[in-house]
Amino acid sequence: MSVPPLTGLPHVGLTTAEAAERLRTDGYNELPRPDRRTTLRILGEVVREPMLALLLGGGLVYLLLGDLKEALILVAFATLSVAITVVQESRTERVLEALRDLTSPRALVIRDGVRRRIAGREVVRGDLLVLAEGDRVPADALLVEAHDLEADESLLTGESVPVRKVPAAEAPASADGRPGGDGLPTVYSGALVVRGRGIASVTATGATSEIGRIGQSLGALETEPPRLQAQTRRLVRIFAAAGALVSLTAVLLYGMLRGGWLDAILAGIALGMSMMPEEFPLVLTVFMAMGAWRISQARVLTRRAAAIETLGAATVLCTDKTGTLTENRMAIAELRLPSGESLAVDVQDTAVLPHAFDELLRTGVLACARDPYDPMERAFHDLGRGRWAGEGAWPGPDWTVAAEYGLRPDLLAVTQVWREAGRDGFLVAAKGAPEAIARLCRLDPAAAAALEAAVGAMAGEGLRVLGVARAAWSAEPFPEGPAGFAFSFLGLVGLADGLRASVPAAVAECRSAGIRVAMITGDYPVTASAIACKAGIGAGEVLTGSELDAMSEPELVAHARGATIFARIMPEQKLRIVEALKAVGETVAMTGDGVNDAPSLKAAHIGIAMGGRGTDVAREASAIVLLDDDFGSIVKAIRLGRRIYDNLRKAMGFIFAVHVPIAGLSLLPLAFGLPILFGPVHIAFLEMVIDPVCSLVFEAEREEDDVMRRPPRARDEPLFSAALVVWSILQGAVAFAVVAAVYLAALSRDTAVDEVRALTFASLIATLVALILVNRSFGASLRAAVLRPNRALVYVLLANAGMLAVALAVPAVRDLFGFAPLSLQGLAVALGAGLAVLFGLELLKPLLQPRLRARSRA
């Protein structure tokens, strides 16, 4: 592999003019960002909702008819719902903007022969990058020089272990140019240099980099539209057509039979409003917006609120290992001496390490940099600080490095020579691959065999194993290579990317909820299996990337049904796995944080990205972002998704039910020539005060007791099941029967029309409150439905009582509604009507209770 030609002399780099020209032709070194959803754009999306347009159109009709108050009521209702949605989604976008990483960090480049620090977005092809420990690589580049260089490429590969880099001149001819391999000459945009230094020539920037290509592939993926929106729109269209037909018929009959065409039009409008379920899409919008706000309090950000409900139907949770199940932070998990004695390290209690392991640990620390970036070296220092807490830093300020030997392709070990002030001689510490340390220590065949067996046992537990050796040296000069020292083998150190503390409980809860957890990782099968075992994922089939490549799509679909671990997986393979799971009818949730997760995050039914360690590309591709990177938050989101869907069905069932008595009481006088009860202002009052506010009551309801102990609902489960529709109609019919009885009884006693209207309206309000209580739970007892805490319910009851009191007691408002003062006896009748509906429906509920829950997935 050859280094691409550089402009000017070596290590001179591009000239300022050449860099400016390439910046002009290639563009800035940054990932293409999708158009930001501005407030105006979100507003446009919301206003395009069919029923919002219908509400605004209705307000315009009333305005043309001269009913200014009714028009303003409808417009206010529509504006309130739009405002809630726009504020919530705008807030979400602002939080995302605050979360965005700098796609390309500051970069140190050589231009005109001078080292300059520039913005990463200004790096161009051909620039010479100067890389050192702690630097974030700003662009894909080919190493011209490298000294002991290692890079963490976990954002691209999913592997938490750094990989060794070599100059292009030393790279094997067979290097495939893909991230994640040892001994390769390419560094990639977004990778972190954890050890060493180097100079690299930029080969790709922005969209042409490895990160950029993955980001661009997202554009070809289509996200599935939320099913609830589709179902709701279809239902609204059906009701709109039926309502329009009935309203037109009522207008014609009223006009022909009674002759008052203006009154006929107003009665027809009132009837149409009573039948139009305009609350459905609005309640859906408010429900999801409030759900997004509620879940944000638990540090979970919803980029698309409608996706929350899909989580409740998830049947498979595909999770990345590194940074999702694990801490993405290496820690020492086991120490093993040459005698075979081993110690499992408790990172929470390192002060009790036996002294027999002190020399192994101290030498391991001395083989590391004093202030390391390498995660494995940091693990040595972390354990050392815990072991010698109170004794001062180790090594202390009187220890200095006299010489160091970095990693070489033929010897994968790091050696450092230390001098302690005031003492003669030098201490030599080495750590590295066990076979390299064995070679330095010149172990005999028996000892080498024992070492190999020990390494195999530790690797079988998913540990990254390093050997540690020690030597003494009397005086300078030092040998040319580490092999010149007489090393003694001290033992093995096993490192692991520790499991997050919340993971086992979260996985167990997923399993109790009927959700299969599948690990998809770029790590090795042994490591992945060990982590899966600790997490409680289970020992299902293990598929590797090479095995997956050899499978046809039907074969992959067959294996995907039972596999729980997918190891050594590349980004495009993750996408294949998600698509295979979707093909067999699974509802797929996918978690991840790296660029390599982005395509599968977008392809899944619900993508869940990590907000702290996650990349921009992953967050943009996902629907939900976990701000605290806690896997346990996924369970909170799933629980909330199920709760939201349950409560949404309750709210929708309630709305369906309340339209029955409202429509019935609007149609009854028309059909039998009785005094007209309700006009548009009454219907608008009910819609503004009862329906949208009650959606807040149902949204605030706590989850059912078995919400995480039942299987996921079926993907094809309609929002309105047959049982729910029957139950809603039954509720509405009972309420209509009771209120109609009050209305007819009042008429039979020759009561004044205004008083009849007031009594009937108050009775209707009481029955609607009863319907709220009935629908709070599909299975709870009457006592629980009434007394279970819900602050929103208290506010709604107080608001309804206050609004009704104003309508009945304030003369100006009472005249607007056409009411007469209502006696205490009338109020008692209205209250009795509500109680009759409440107790009657609670007695009927057990008959339909088993059928009211969403149908579980077979």
Side-chain angles (χ1 to χ4, degrees):
M1 183 178 296
S2 61
V3 181
L6 302 177
T7 302
L9 297 175
H11 296 54
V12 172
L14 300 176
T15 65
T16 302
E18 288 171 330
E21 176 61 21
R22 294 193 183 187
L23 187 63
R24 186 186 67 79
T25 56
D26 295 350
Y28 284 108
N29 175 37
E30 56 188 4
L31 299 183
R33 295 182 179 182
D35 294 336
R36 183 176 180 271
R37 297 176 73 237
T38 62
T39 301
L40 286 178
R41 181 176 172 185
I42 294 171
L43 179 61
E45 293 174 359
V46 174
V47 171
R48 284 198 297 270
E49 287 292 328
M51 284 310 301
L52 279 175
L54 181 62
L55 278 176
L56 296 175
L60 179 61
V61 169
Y62 285 126
L63 189 61
L64 294 175
L65 291 174
D67 295 324
L68 179 60
K69 294 179 181 178
E70 289 84 347
L72 292 178
I73 288 174
L74 280 183
V75 171
F77 180 29
T79 303
L80 177 64
S81 299
V82 170
I84 291 176
T85 304
V86 170
V87 168
Q88 173 58 30
E89 297 215 8
S90 297
R91 175 183 175 275
T92 296
E93 292 300 321
R94 286 196 301 271
V95 174
L96 272 177
E97 284 295 317
L99 274 175
R100 298 188 71 97
D101 298 326
L102 287 176
T103 307
S104 52
R106 300 282 293 178
L108 182 62
V109 300
I110 301 175
R111 287 184 182 171
D112 300 313
V114 179
R115 297 190 178 195
R116 298 178 181 175
R117 185 73 66 176
I118 65 172
R121 65 194 300 264
E122 296 175 2
V123 171
V124 298
R125 282 183 305 106
D127 259 330
L128 284 181
L129 301 174
V130 180
L131 302 174
E133 287 186 11
D135 286 346
R136 184 73 68 176
V137 180
D140 291 2
L142 198 63
L143 284 165
V144 178
E145 293 182 4
H147 177 74
D148 199 14
L149 184 67
E150 292 186 6
D152 177 355
E153 297 177 349
S154 60
L155 290 182
L156 285 164
T157 65
E159 297 184 38
S160 56
V161 178
V163 291
R164 180 174 48 86
K165 298 294 181 179
V166 299
E170 300 177 16
S174 59
D176 60 6
R178 298 302 301 273
D182 265 322
L184 298 180
T186 307
V187 289
Y188 297 93
S189 177
L192 177 67
V193 177
V194 297
R195 185 181 182 87
R197 59 187 183 273
I199 295 177
S201 173
V202 174
T203 57
T205 61
T208 61
S209 67
E210 189 73 17
I211 282 182
R213 283 195 292 271
I214 295 175
Q216 284 184 316
S217 70
L218 301 179
L221 298 175
E222 293 294 333
T223 53
E224 295 194 3
R227 295 173 64 250
L228 286 186
Q229 288 186 1
Q231 291 184 36
T232 303
R233 287 171 180 168
R234 183 166 59 251
L235 191 66
V236 167
R237 285 196 296 267
I238 293 173
F239 271 84
L245 180 61
V246 172
S247 297
L248 181 60
T249 303
V251 169
L252 293 176
L253 289 175
Y254 190 105
M256 289 186 294
L257 295 177
R258 300 192 183 189
W261 286 101
L262 180 58
D263 289 338
I265 292 175
L266 293 176
I269 290 175
L271 179 58
M273 289 179 61
S274 70
M275 295 186 66
M276 291 284 188
E278 68 277 357
E279 304 92 344
F280 285 157
L282 294 178
V283 166
L284 179 61
T285 300
V286 172
F287 229 83
M288 293 305 169
M290 290 300 297
W293 173 82
R294 189 177 298 279
I295 198 173
S296 71
Q297 306 305 297
R299 304 287 294 160
V300 178
L301 177 68
T302 52
R303 299 195 68 247
R304 298 292 182 268
I308 299 175
E309 62 87 16
T310 311
L311 260 182
T315 60
V316 175
L317 174 56
C318 297
T319 175
D320 187 40
K321 179 183 74 68
T322 304
T324 307
L325 292 176
T326 66
E327 297 278 0
N328 198 21
R329 180 173 57 86
M330 299 297 288
I332 293 178
E334 183 177 343
L335 300 174
R336 187 176 294 237
L337 300 178
S339 64
E341 182 182 358
S342 64
L343 176 71
V345 178
D346 182 357
V347 295
Q348 303 299 325
D349 190 11
T350 57
V352 296
L353 290 177
H355 290 291
F357 295 89
D358 276 357
E359 187 178 11
L360 172 60
L361 181 55
R362 285 183 187 274
T363 305
V365 172
L366 289 175
C368 301
R370 187 184 290 274
D371 187 17
Y373 285 92
D374 186 308
M376 290 188 290
E377 294 194 346
R378 293 174 67 179
F380 276 91
H381 279 268
D382 289 344
L383 185 59
R385 278 193 295 270
R387 173 65 181 88
W388 299 298
E391 299 180 18
W394 175 259
D398 52 341
W399 286 78
T400 57
V401 177
E404 58 180 335
Y405 303 85
L407 289 170
R408 298 202 314 264
D410 60 333
L411 186 66
L412 300 180
V414 174
T415 303
Q416 295 201 137
V417 182
W418 290 82
R419 174 191 292 114
E420 184 181 10
R423 291 196 179 186
D424 295 331
F426 301 87
L427 190 151
V428 186
K431 76 173 189 331
E435 61 273 16
I437 296 298
R439 197 159 68 249
L440 286 176
C441 295
R442 301 174 180 86
L443 296 182
D444 59 51
L451 174 64
E452 184 178 356
V455 170
M458 296 173 72
E461 299 174 2
L463 302 179
R464 170 85 169 189
V465 185
L466 296 178
V468 177
R470 176 175 181 158
W473 191 257
S474 58
E476 297 186 74
F478 302 117
E480 293 185 4
F485 297 104
F487 281 104
S488 299
F489 180 62
L490 296 183
L492 299 172
V493 178
L495 298 101
D497 185 3
L499 195 70
R500 290 180 180 271
S502 62
V503 166
V507 170
E509 192 161 5
C510 285
R511 296 181 71 175
S512 72
I515 302 170
R516 177 161 63 96
V517 180
M519 179 195 295
I520 304 178
T521 178
D523 224 326
Y524 290 92
V526 171
T527 304
S529 297
I531 290 293
C533 182
K534 293 177 182 178
I537 290 176
E541 183 180 1
V542 180
L543 284 181
T544 65
S546 58
E547 292 171 340
L548 190 147
D549 274 341
M551 292 180 182
S552 64
E553 292 304 319
E555 290 174 332
L556 176 57
V557 168
H559 284 278
R561 292 178 182 274
T564 56
I565 300 172
F566 299 86
R568 302 301 289 167
I569 298 298
M570 295 299 291
E572 59 273 16
Q573 293 173 324
K574 290 187 177 187
L575 182 58
R576 282 189 68 198
I577 293 168
V578 171
E579 296 291 1
L581 290 169
K582 290 169 65 177
V584 297
E586 303 280 12
T587 303
V588 183
M590 171 72 191
T591 72
D593 58 359
V595 175
N596 59 328
D597 297 323
S600 49
L601 284 172
K602 187 171 183 180
H605 294 108
I606 180 74
I608 311 169
M610 300 300 170
R613 290 187 176 92
T615 59
D616 271 348
V617 178
R619 286 195 290 268
E620 293 292 349
S622 65
I624 289 180
V625 180
L626 305 182
L627 299 183
D628 56 6
D629 289 0
D630 188 352
F631 183 86
S633 297
I634 297 172
V635 177
K636 297 177 186 177
I638 291 174
R639 178 186 292 274
L640 182 65
R642 292 190 173 193
R643 165 185 161 177
I644 284 177
Y645 191 80
D646 280 351
N647 290 345
L648 184 61
R649 294 179 78 243
K650 297 171 188 176
M652 295 296 194
F654 164 78
I655 293 170
F656 196 105
V658 300
H659 276 274
V660 174
I662 294 174
L665 292 171
S666 299
L667 187 60
L668 181 64
L670 293 176
F672 295 97
L674 301 174
I676 298 297
L677 276 174
F678 301 145
V681 66
H682 301 94
I683 307 300
F685 177 91
L686 293 172
E687 290 171 346
M688 183 175 177
V689 176
I690 298 294
D691 296 344
V693 179
C694 287
S695 69
L696 301 181
V697 173
F698 293 113
E699 188 280 329
E701 282 296 329
R702 69 185 187 189
E703 66 267 13
E704 300 285 328
D705 292 338
D706 66 341
V707 69
M708 292 298 283
R709 296 197 303 271
R710 61 177 188 254
R713 70 176 187 274
R715 273 283 293 164
D716 59 350
E717 168 69 18
L719 182 61
F720 284 94
S721 63
L724 184 61
V725 171
V726 170
W727 174 235
S728 298
I729 292 177
L730 179 60
Q731 292 180 73
V734 170
F736 169 66
V738 171
V739 178
V742 172
Y743 168 59
L744 295 175
L747 285 178
S748 67
R749 299 177 62 179
D750 295 328
T751 306
V753 172
D754 286 354
E755 187 175 348
V756 171
R757 184 178 292 112
L759 176 62
T760 305
F761 192 81
S763 300
L764 179 60
I765 292 291
T767 60
L768 297 187
V769 171
L771 292 180
I772 297 173
L773 299 177
V774 169
N775 283 279
R776 290 187 68 192
S777 173
F778 291 131
S781 65
L782 173 61
R783 182 175 180 275
V786 175
L787 299 180
R788 188 166 62 184
N790 186 329
R791 186 178 300 177
L793 174 63
V794 176
Y795 293 154
V796 165
L797 294 180
L798 291 176
N800 287 340
M803 294 293 289
L804 182 61
V806 170
L808 294 175
V810 177
V813 180
R814 191 170 62 216
D815 293 342
L816 174 66
F817 282 91
F819 291 159
L822 199 60
S823 64
L824 290 178
Q825 182 181 3
L827 291 174
V829 170
L831 180 60
L835 292 175
V837 171
L838 175 62
F839 286 106
L841 290 176
E842 284 295 334
L843 291 175
L844 292 174
K845 184 186 292 185
L847 301 177
L848 285 174
Q849 177 182 337
R851 298 179 178 273
L852 289 178
R853 299 191 188 279
R855 179 167 57 86
S856 297
R857 178 176 176 267

